[in-house]
């Protein structure tokens, strides 16, 4: 059913957009946003942690505004467009009578509200999920070339947002397997793959670094019911706040009476079941399941218009949710009103303190891909995150940030007070310590290559290759090596030094783009008697060992 947008709808939508713009302007960045702003400083078809669409949104925003709004403007636009698309997806003869109820439902969903202005990969994920559902509905009404092409572009947009967006596409397909016989559906797949080809190329050129990290290199913990599975169910409640009983009641009462509703139900239940099963393997983050908010807006709003009890209670509890969310949103800006110390608090003042103390000196952070971009944004200093074996690899491991601080006097910032030249205190009382390094030099891109699975024998001589990806040679006397022993869950238990020997004893340096072979013996583990994975790390110039090798499985 086609109808003009009600005037009240446009007024409330416009007010919501304006509030998000104001919130974007006055709220300091959160750490993830600063990290994605770092992505956008050098546009690429991919990044270490995510596909590139979040960086593109920031780049576009920066064309219109400076500061925080230059990071968030496009998120405000997309979140507003998402609500508009969802409204137009809902066919119901009475919907114009319940404009206020629609917005109460949508704005009461906690993360859907937050992503109205924060710039995170979930923001375009929600937009393209709504868009794909709208287009799929049109496709079901009349399959044709236009909708086939449009769905392909929407699917590519989903996959450029987050990798687990594949679940949206898969569950829509599973809801209607006859699509495999539809030529326009195949056209959609072809268009999506064609649009996604540049990212596939980027992954190949970067040794599938993102896939390897998410699937193979991330450490995990042994299963814990409270932390994993119970935590998953807590997240399901947190998504909807006080309205959760009626949201899930609406879901359970909705029947798949048509192909579109069937797709909505498959998407919600599919995501819920997928992450429930995943909760037996890892902790499920709330934002991983936020995509169910999109089909649930449609399902629950349709249910509200037919059920007086649900309409009454979702309206009441939704308004309460909105009041609480607005209070928390004010607390993001005005720290005294916040019930908790949030990550938007104190960073600007801290960055200004550091800037006042050292001027434009480059800043090197120990193990913090969060603080490095935050300080770069607010202080304007060149920054770098030096990641060691106690942390994880990130975008700073693969981009050119390291080269910008090489052989310069830097302030090295960490949480350790030893040898500190300067101490800075945040508004919550936490401290960060800095020491000067006159000639900073790191080689964190050096690679140690172990062929695995490896035979773990303390008496046997092993070999590994050292690869130098830099365009200059490196003096081997500056390097020290160690081996990390890990559990089944890739948790490092032992870190022990080794003294490998080059196969050619006359070699004193490794040339640019060159590889040399070392021989060594595994030292006896002190704590982990039966290691499952090993990794060779490198210390340069007396700094902590880095993450230079892949986690190699032991036979």
């Amino acid at each position: 059913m086609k109808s003009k947008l009600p005037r009240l709808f446009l007024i409330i939508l416009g007010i919501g957009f304006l509030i998000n713009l104001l919130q974007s302007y006055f709220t300091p960045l959160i750490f993830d946003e600063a990290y994605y702003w770092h992505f956008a400083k050098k546009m690429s078809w991919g990044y270490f942690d995510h596909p590139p669409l979040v960086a593109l949104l920031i780049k576009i925003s920066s064309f219109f505004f400076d500061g925080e709004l230059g990071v968030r403007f496009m998120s405000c636009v997309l979140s507003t467009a998402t609500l508009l698309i969802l409204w137009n997806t809902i066919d119901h003869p009475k919907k114009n009578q319940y404009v206020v109820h629609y917005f109460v439902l949508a704005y009461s969903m906690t993360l859907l509200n937050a992503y109205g202005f924060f710039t995170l990969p979930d923001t375009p994920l929600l937009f393209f999920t709504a868009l794909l559902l709208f287009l799929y509905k049109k496709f079901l009404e009349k399959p044709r070339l236009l909708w086939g092409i449009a769905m392909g572009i929407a699917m590519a947009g989903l996959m450029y947002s987050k990798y687990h967006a594949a679940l949206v596409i898969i569950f829509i397909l599973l809801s209607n397997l006859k699509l495999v016989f539809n030529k326009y559906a195949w056209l959609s797949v072809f268009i999506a793959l064609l649009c996604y080809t540049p990212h596939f190329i980027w992954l190949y050129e970067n040794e599938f670094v993102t896939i390897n990290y998410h699937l193979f290199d991330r450490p995990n913990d042994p299963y814990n019911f409270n932390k994993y599975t119970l935590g998953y169910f807590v997240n399901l409640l947190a998504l909807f706040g006080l309205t959760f009983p009626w949201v899930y009641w609406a879901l359970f009462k909705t029947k798949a009476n048509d192909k579109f509703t069937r797709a909505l139900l498959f998407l919600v239940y599919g995501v819920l079941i997928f992450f429930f099963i995943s909760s037996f393997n890892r902790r499920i983050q709330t934002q991983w399941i936020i995509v169910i908010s999109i089909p649930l807006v449609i399902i629950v709003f349709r249910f509200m218009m037919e059920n007086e009890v649900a309409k009454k209670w979702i309206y009441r509890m939704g308004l309460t949710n909105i009041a609480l969310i607005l209070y928390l949103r004010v607390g993001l800006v005005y720290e005294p009103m916040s019930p908790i110390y949030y990550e938007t608090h104190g960073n600007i003042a801290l960055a200004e303190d550091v800037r006042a103390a050292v001027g434009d000196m480059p800043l090197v952070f120990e193990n913090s891909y969060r603080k490095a971009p935050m300080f770069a944004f607010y202080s304007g200093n060149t920054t770098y995150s030096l990641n060691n074996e106690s942390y994880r690899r990130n975008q700073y491991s693969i981009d050119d940030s390291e080269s910008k601080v090489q052989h310069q006097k830097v302030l090295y910032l960490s949480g350790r007070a030893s040898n500190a030249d300067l101490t800075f205190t945040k508004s919550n009382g936490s401290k960060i310590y800095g020491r000067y390094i006159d000639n900073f030099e790191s080689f964190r891109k050096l690679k140690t290559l172990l062929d695995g699975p490896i035979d773990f024998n303390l008496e046997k001589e092993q070999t590994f290759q050292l690869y130098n990806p830099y365009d200059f040679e490196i003096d081997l006397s500056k390097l020290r090596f160690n081996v990390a022993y890990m559990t089944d869950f890739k948790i490092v238990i032992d870190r022990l030094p080794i003294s490998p020997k080059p196969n050619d004893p006359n070699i004193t340096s490794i040339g640019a783009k060159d590889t040399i072979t070392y021989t060594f013996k595994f030292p006896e583990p002190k704590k982990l008697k039966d290691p499952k994975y090993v990794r060779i790390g490198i210390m340069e110039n007396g700094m902590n060992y880095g993450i230079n090798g892949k986690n190699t499985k032991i036979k």
Side-chain angles (χ1 to χ4, degrees), residues 275-295:
F275 284 112
F276 171 68
I277 294 172
S278 299
S279 74
F280 291 96
N281 176 257
R282 65 182 66 247
R283 183 174 68 87
I284 305 302
Q285 298 179 25
T286 313
Q287 66 267 27
W288 293 358
I289 51 179
I290 189 182
V291 72
I292 68 171
S293 300
I294 297 300

Side-chain angles (χ1 to χ4, degrees), residues 45-62:
W45 284 106
Y47 297 92
F48 184 91
D49 312 75
H50 292 291
L53 192 50
V54 66
L56 178 61
L57 294 182
I58 294 172
K59 178 60 73 174
I60 295 173
S61 297
S62 70

Side-chain angles (χ1 to χ4, degrees), residues 89 130-140 147 150-152 154:
T89 306
L131 181 60
L132 181 60
L133 288 173
F134 171 79
L135 295 170
Y136 179 60
K137 188 171 184 292
K138 294 293 185 182
F139 180 84
L140 289 174
W147 302 129
M151 284 199 304

Side-chain angles (χ1 to χ4, degrees), residues 130-172:
L131 181 60
L132 181 60
L133 288 173
F134 171 79
L135 295 170
Y136 179 60
K137 188 171 184 292
K138 294 293 185 182
F139 180 84
L140 289 174
E141 292 169 0
K142 188 176 182 181
R144 56 177 178 157
L145 180 66
L146 173 64
W147 302 129
I149 295 172
M151 284 199 304
I153 295 171
M155 287 192 287
L158 273 169
M159 292 303 300
Y160 272 118
S161 301
K162 288 187 89 167
Y163 291 116
H164 81 249
L167 296 176
V168 176
I169 300 168
I170 290 169
F171 289 124
I172 291 176

Side-chain angles (χ1 to χ4, degrees), residues 313-330:
W313 282 103
I314 290 175
Y315 187 74
R316 290 175 177 175
M317 293 297 100
L319 288 174
T320 306
N321 268 359
I322 291 171
L324 291 172
I325 290 169
L326 286 175
Y327 176 80
L328 294 173
R329 284 177 64 157
V330 173

